[in-house]
């Protein structure tokens, strides 16, 4: 265990635990107007709704007669381009011609109260002419398929890309052993506690002032500006603590709609909050993916070649579809040495709900496929699955399956060593044999990894600002949102340690485009690494500045005799043992102008040098240089009578570099695993003919505390030399392990490898029936 990994109370823990922390809507003025979107495509479900249709008109007459309804806005009222999107501007703020999925908005109601808003929305009518839809990504690529975006050169194909290393086709033909498989992974709902929300107001000076639950406040300004024809620098966005995000608040949700409402509110503040049903209907989802794989090896298990084709369903709009697919393709070969690889990807428009960023960002989808074939290979060669992985695991200096030389830290073999020695693995045979009646027990493992940062082609920059206050404390102006993952607490801890101050002396200013500096989105496992490095540089510069400013009042002619201590600068003059003098920081601050009490520093994440000559179809993000690694183990019980799979024990062994805060580290590993367990087993998100059947949390079965085992987190001893105090980001890698580990455990228990996720009781029972093996009873 790391010597630095002693648990430290999180800076935000007490306020959140007691309910004192104020989230977005807690800050909204009492006099706010209410805004809401009219989404007629889903108004009556598939019986009367429309997933793809031409907008012939909107009848607002009845709505406008409703007491308290002030305005009904349509696409004709939208200034600017009326198009939003992070990379591709293809999503209307309000649809005026065509709706492309059932959650598309065609009107916006502005009202005095929540009840007036509800009634006004209910009285709106839209005339929608149904159009043929396409709801399967592979069908969407066929000749004659209905087009989601008419006139688009690529038709329904958003992006096709190839990553190639060596000659995979020839190597597979010559490989002594080849295993193949087809897999599918499902749509997943973020289901964050705080749904998409915010409030906004146009100030007297013309500034559009917004407070939003967002992962990217600085980028939001430009998305709003482009869509509504506004000067982005006249938009101010604040992002208090988020009540969850997981990628689902990376990109415009309420932002453009809310800004539009504020433009027509005559200077009054306006709020918008999606209820759970609207969040599920209109919010972004994890991409559903179909995967076809072939893996070749020598007879001793040494990997020779990989070939795979991935098809990502991006839904009605691009959002981050191409970028999600890129990261999935980059990880398609797993954390292994694969000398020959051919990875083909297709990201496809359909009339399904919009897919976007989700923790694991394309990698959670490919992990069950590459790990599934590793298990198939081990079985075919009669090899221990752990030893097969250890034999092929990436090590420092290796070249991964995308052709990137690993010059950063790689701790996968250490993760496997920890797992191999753990009682959950060494005691697996005895545990399996002690299964109760009508129950199968199994143990499975998985190796996973996840790239950190934006990748090459998009500068991953952060700018930190630190200020000495007049009372002798320090303000850290945090430029990246905290959606619950604890990065703000990590920043406070980094600053306290670097400045040698008590944690109580550090106060954080949460992201505010009017006070903080642009530091990128809260995503990609980058926040603590990138902003943390900038913050350490700022704190080091602040320390040196304060020592220099204190030299005169302390009559110190050597800066080396000065040290920064909690609340003061200390002078220990040579030969004056026991006669040290101190200058309180509060006193020093009084002598300094505010400009002299502020330090700003920046950090730019390094990128892969001499990148491979492949992946040329990607706009941004390829390749990555830094990765977190993990080995996961699951022990499961499968009920032979019901097909229900219960995870009894779960182990995450993670290489995240040096651990700064053990409690935050463990929470990331455990939270990621919990989300991955739901993805593997219970979250059977249903979309049929473009209509969501999983409409609320009574049918979207995210696991609760009663559904989850104790999840043990182990941190291997490692260090990333470029990271702040040696750390790497670990926010995403934990989500990638449960699906393959649980599938492996289920195969160990039943002999059947399920390749379509989630592993529902119906699928498990079907697999048991096909195996026709007798129920296991206690003798």
């Amino acid at each position: 265990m790391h010597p630095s990994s002693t648990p430290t109370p999180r800076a935000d823990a007490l306020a959140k635990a007691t309910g004192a922390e104020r989230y977005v809507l807690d800050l909204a003025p009492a006099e706010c107007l209410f805004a809401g979107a009219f989404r007629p495509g889903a108004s009556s479900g598939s019986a009367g709704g429309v997933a793809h249709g031409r907008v012939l008109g909107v009848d607002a007459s009845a709505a406008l007669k409703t007491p308290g309804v002030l305005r009904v806005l349509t696409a004709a009222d939208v200034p600017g381009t009326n198009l939003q999107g992070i990379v591709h501007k293809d999503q209307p703020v309000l649809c005026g011609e065509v709706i492309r999925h059932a959650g598309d908005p065609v009107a916006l109601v502005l009202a005095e109260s929540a009840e007036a808003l509800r009634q006004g929305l209910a009285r709106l009518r839209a005339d929608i002419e149904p159009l043929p839809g396409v709801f399967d990504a592979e069908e969407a690529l066929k000749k004659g398929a209905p087009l989601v975006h008419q006139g688009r050169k690529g038709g329904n194909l958003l992006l096709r890309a190839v990553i190639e290393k060596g000659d995979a086709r020839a190597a597979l033909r010559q490989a002594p052993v080849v295993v193949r498989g087809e897999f599918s992974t499902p749509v997943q709902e973020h289901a964050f506690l705080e749904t998409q929300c915010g409030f906004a107001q146009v100030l007297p000076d013309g500034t559009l002032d917004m407070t939003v639950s967002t992962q990217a406040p600085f980028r939001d300004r430009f998305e709003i500006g482009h869509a509504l024809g506004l000067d982005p620098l006249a938009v101010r966005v604040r992002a208090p603590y988020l009540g969850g995000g997981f990628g689902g608040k990376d990109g415009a949700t309420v932002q453009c709609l809310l800004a539009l409402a504020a433009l027509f509110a005559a200077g009054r503040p306006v709020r918008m909050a999606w209820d759970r049903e609207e969040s599920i209907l209109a919010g972004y989802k994890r991409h559903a993916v179909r995967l076809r794989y072939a893996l070749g090896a020598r007879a001793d298990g040494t990997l020779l070649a990989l070939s795979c084709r991935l098809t990502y369903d991006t839904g009605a709009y691009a959002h981050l579809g191409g970028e999600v697919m890129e990261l999935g393709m980059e990880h398609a070969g797993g954390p292994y040495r694969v000398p020959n690889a051919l990875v083909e990807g297709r990201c496809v428009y359909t009339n399904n709900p919009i897919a976007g960023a989700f923790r694991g960002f394309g990698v959670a989808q490919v992990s069950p496929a590459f790990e599934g074939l590793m298990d198939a290979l081990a079985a075919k060669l009669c090899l221990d699955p752990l030893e097969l992985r250890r034999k092929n695991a990436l090590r420092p200096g290796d070249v991964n399956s995308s052709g990137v030389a690993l010059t950063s830290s790689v701790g996968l073999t250490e993760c496997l060593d920890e797992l191999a020695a753990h009682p959950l693995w060494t005691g697996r045979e005895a545990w399996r044999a002690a299964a109760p009646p009508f129950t199968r027990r199994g143990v499975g493992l998985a190796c996973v990894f996840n790239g950190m940062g934006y990748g090459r082609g998009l500068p991953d920059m952060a700018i930190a600002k630190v200020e000495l206050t007049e009372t002798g404390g320090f303000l850290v102006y945090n430029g990246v949102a905290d959606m619950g993952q604890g990065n703000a607490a990590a920043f406070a801890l980094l600053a306290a340690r670097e400045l040698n101050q008590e944690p109580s002396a550090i106060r954080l200013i949460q992201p505010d485009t009017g006070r903080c500096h642009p530091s990128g989105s809260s995503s990609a496992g980058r926040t603590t690494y990138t902003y943390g490095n900038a913050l350490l540089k700022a704190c080091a510069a602040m320390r040196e500045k304060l020592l220099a400013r204190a030299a005169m009042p302390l009559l110190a002619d050597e800066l080396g005799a000065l040290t920064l201590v909690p609340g003061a600068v200390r002078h220990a003059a040579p030969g004056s043992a026991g006669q040290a003098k101190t200058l309180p920081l509060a006193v020093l601050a009084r002598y300094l102008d505010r400009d002299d009490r502020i330090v700003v520093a920046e950090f730019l994440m390094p990128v892969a040098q001499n990148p491979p000559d492949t992946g040329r179809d990607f706009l941004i993000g390829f390749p990555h240089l830094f990765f977190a690694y993990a080995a996961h183990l699951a022990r499961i019980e499968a009920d032979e009578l019901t097909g229900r799979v219960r995870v009894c024990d779960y182990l995450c062994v993670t290489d995240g570099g040096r651990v700064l805060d053990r409690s935050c580290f463990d929470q990331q590993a455990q939270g990621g695993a919990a989300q991955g367990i739901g993805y593997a087993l219970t979250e059977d998100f249903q979309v049929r003919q473009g209509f969501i059947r999983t409409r609320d949390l009574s049918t979207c079965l995210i696991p609760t505390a009663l559904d989850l085992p104790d999840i043990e987190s182990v941190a291997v001893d490692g260090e990333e030399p470029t990271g702040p105090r040696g750390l790497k980001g670990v926010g995403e890698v934990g989500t990638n392990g449960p699906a393959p580990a649980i599938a492996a455990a289920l195969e160990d228990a039943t002999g059947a490898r399920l390749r379509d996720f989630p592993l529902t009781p119906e699928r498990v029972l079907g697999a048991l029936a096909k195996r026709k093996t007798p129920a296991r009873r206690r003798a």
Side-chain angles (χ1 to χ4, degrees):
M1 182 181 291
H2 299 287
S4 61
S5 60
T6 304
T8 303
R10 279 177 52 163
D12 57 347
L14 183 61
K16 288 182 175 178
T18 60
E21 187 60 63
R22 303 181 76 194
Y23 293 84
V24 168
L25 292 183
D26 298 318
L27 300 167
E31 67 273 18
C32 272
L33 300 176
F34 290 76
F38 176 50
R39 306 178 191 273
S43 59
S44 302
S46 60
V50 179
H52 189 204
R54 193 177 314 282
V55 181
L56 302 179
V58 176
D59 182 359
S61 57
L64 287 170
K65 293 176 183 177
T66 303
V69 170
L70 302 177
R71 297 292 298 262
V72 175
L73 306 175
T74 64
D77 298 302
V78 182
T81 64
N82 190 28
L83 291 172
Q84 61 190 23
I86 296 174
V87 179
H88 302 272
K89 307 294 185 184
D90 63 355
Q91 181 180 352
V93 179
L94 292 175
C95 297
E97 297 180 358
V98 176
I99 61 170
R100 296 181 174 87
H101 80 108
D104 262 342
V106 301
L108 185 68
V109 176
L110 191 59
E112 292 279 4
S113 67
E115 179 58 24
L117 175 63
R118 186 190 66 78
Q119 292 184 21
L121 288 169
R123 292 172 181 172
L124 279 173
R125 296 291 180 267
D127 186 6
I128 310 289
E129 176 191 348
L131 295 172
V134 61
F135 309 107
D136 178 275
E138 294 186 345
E139 291 294 321
L141 294 177
K142 292 182 178 179
K143 185 177 181 179
L147 293 177
V148 179
H149 294 268
Q150 289 287 338
R152 189 178 179 277
K153 183 178 179 181
N156 289 329
L157 182 65
L158 169 63
L159 177 66
R160 180 187 181 274
V162 175
I163 295 176
E164 193 164 10
K165 175 189 177 186
D167 189 342
R169 291 190 177 96
L172 278 172
R173 285 195 298 268
Q174 299 166 11
V177 181
V178 176
V179 291
R180 303 177 188 273
E182 295 189 9
F183 302 79
S184 67
T185 57
V187 171
Q188 188 179 21
E189 164 66 24
H190 296 85
F192 23 67
L193 285 175
E194 177 198 45
T195 59
Q196 299 88 335
C197 62
F199 62 92
Q201 183 176 16
V202 177
L203 302 180
D205 66 359
T207 300
L208 176 59
D209 195 312
M210 307 185 70
T211 301
V212 185
S213 185
T214 175
Q215 294 176 223
F218 286 89
R219 190 184 65 220
D220 284 350
R221 298 177 302 167
F222 293 90
E223 231 179 310
I224 294 164
H226 181 274
L228 303 184
L230 303 176
D231 177 1
L233 300 183
V235 181
R236 179 176 183 175
V237 182
R238 297 177 176 87
Y241 283 110
L242 279 64
F246 312 117
K249 296 174 182 175
D250 190 4
T253 57
V254 300
Q255 288 92 317
C256 294
L257 291 166
L258 182 59
L260 177 64
L263 294 180
F264 286 86
R268 297 177 65 181
V270 186
R271 61 184 279 163
M272 173 179 263
W274 295 357
D275 61 19
R276 182 62 60 187
E277 290 75 15
E278 186 175 13
S279 177
I280 291 175
L281 171 66
Y284 306 121
K285 307 286 179 278
R286 188 186 296 282
H287 290 74
V289 183
R290 290 182 186 163
L291 314 98
R292 293 177 174 87
Y293 263 71
L295 183 65
R298 295 194 179 103
D300 67 354
T302 302
L303 299 181
L304 293 175
L306 165 81
S307 176
C308 64
R309 171 174 281 188
L310 318 176
T311 304
Y312 283 72
D313 181 348
T314 202
Y317 301 106
H319 193 46
L320 287 168
E323 291 65 44
V324 169
M325 184 182 77
E326 180 280 318
L327 202 65
M329 291 176 63
E330 191 175 349
H331 290 72
Y336 305 113
R337 290 186 302 280
V338 184
N340 301 280
L342 175 62
V343 182
E344 299 175 88
R346 300 175 300 175
C347 192
V348 185
Y349 286 111
T350 66
N351 294 115
N352 289 324
I354 310 167
F358 199 133
R359 190 182 203 171
F361 204 81
V363 185
Q365 292 95 316
V366 300
S367 298
F370 65 68
E371 285 300 272
L373 288 199
M374 288 295 284
D375 285 330
L377 182 62
K380 193 165 187 174
L381 296 175
C382 299
L383 297 175
D384 181 292
L386 189 149
E387 293 308 320
L388 176 65
R389 287 167 168 83
R390 192 173 354 223
K391 181 182 187 69
N392 292 285
L394 289 169
R395 291 171 170 81
D398 283 345
V399 177
N400 68 16
S401 63
S402 295
V404 177
L406 299 177
T407 58
S408 58
S409 63
V410 183
L412 182 57
T413 55
E414 292 83 353
C415 291
L416 284 168
D417 291 344
E418 288 279 356
L419 189 149
H422 197 281
L424 292 179
W425 180 253
T426 59
R428 64 191 183 281
E429 297 293 344
W431 182 79
R432 188 190 299 115
F438 302 103
T439 301
R440 308 279 184 96
R441 281 182 169 178
V443 181
L445 62 89
C447 288
V448 290
F449 67 145
N450 210 103
M452 184 178 74
Y454 295 148
R456 196 175 180 91
L458 181 62
D460 198 328
M461 166 77 76
I463 306 171
K465 174 180 170 183
V466 179
E467 178 181 355
L468 172 68
T469 70
E470 293 179 339
T471 59
F474 293 90
L475 288 179
V476 172
Y477 292 82
N478 174 17
V480 284
D482 187 321
M483 52 185 165
Q485 75 270 46
N487 59 321
F491 300 153
L493 184 60
L494 280 170
R497 291 183 178 176
E498 187 68 18
L499 293 168
N500 194 27
Q501 301 297 302
E502 296 294 335
S504 59
I506 310 297
R507 188 162 67 89
L508 287 167
I509 303 297
Q510 291 299 87
D512 178 345
T513 62
R515 302 178 70 187
C516 305
H517 290 276
S519 295
S521 58
S522 182
S523 63
R526 61 172 292 277
T527 57
T528 305
Y529 176 93
T530 309
Y531 186 84
N533 267 319
L535 179 59
L536 288 184
K537 289 175 66 176
C539 288
M542 175 64 78
R543 183 180 62 248
E544 296 307 309
K545 172 182 279 193
L546 294 180
L547 297 183
R549 300 298 186 269
M552 179 63 74
L554 287 173
L555 300 179
D557 50 16
E558 293 184 19
L559 292 181
L562 298 175
T563 56
L564 192 59
V565 298
V569 175
R570 183 175 182 271
H571 179 218
S576 59
Q579 300 179 19
K581 296 181 290 184
T582 61
L583 176 64
L585 292 177
V587 174
L588 177 61
R590 291 175 56 194
Y591 291 94
L592 304 178
D593 292 334
R594 183 167 185 258
D595 288 349
D596 201 24
R597 291 187 275 112
I598 293 174
V599 171
V600 176
E602 63 284 327
F603 177 81
L604 179 65
M605 183 184 289
V607 296
Q609 300 301 307
N610 303 313
D613 185 23
T614 189
R616 291 180 292 275
D617 300 293
F618 300 125
L619 294 176
I620 54 175
F622 178 81
H624 287 71
L625 177 62
F626 302 100
F627 299 86
Y629 299 84
H632 284 204
L633 178 148
R635 298 206 308 188
I636 65 100
E637 289 183 345
D639 190 311
E640 295 176 331
L641 303 180
T642 66
R644 180 176 180 267
V645 175
R646 183 174 73 90
V647 182
C648 304
D649 300 282
Y650 202 89
L651 170 67
C652 314
V653 186
T654 309
D655 160 38
R658 187 162 295 280
V659 177
L660 172 68
D661 184 323
R662 185 55 192 265
S663 63
C664 281
F665 182 97
D666 290 344
Q667 287 161 10
Q668 283 297 294
Q670 292 160 345
Q675 210 157 29
I677 289 170
Y679 184 53
L681 291 176
T682 64
E683 297 180 42
D684 190 16
F685 196 93
Q686 293 288 322
V687 181
R688 297 178 189 170
Q689 296 298 107
F691 296 98
I692 293 172
R693 296 304 190 186
T694 313
R695 297 191 182 104
D696 54 39
L697 295 184
S698 70
T699 50
C700 182
L701 301 180
I702 62 172
T704 68
L706 296 177
D707 303 307
L708 294 169
D710 288 337
I711 300 172
E712 183 179 352
S713 169
V714 175
V716 300
D717 191 11
E719 182 172 7
E720 170 49 53
T722 66
R725 295 185 175 256
L727 64 78
K728 294 189 288 189
V730 295
E732 301 197 76
V733 69
T735 308
N736 303 334
I742 292 170
L746 184 61
E747 182 179 24
D748 185 48
T750 66
R753 184 71 180 218
L754 274 67
R755 292 176 172 175
D756 297 312
F757 291 81
L759 309 178
T760 60
E762 294 83 359
R763 285 175 172 155
V764 173
L765 282 176
L768 287 171
K770 288 180 181 178
R771 298 292 298 182
K772 295 182 180 178
T773 52
R776 184 177 296 174
R777 298 175 175 84
R778 183 173 290 164

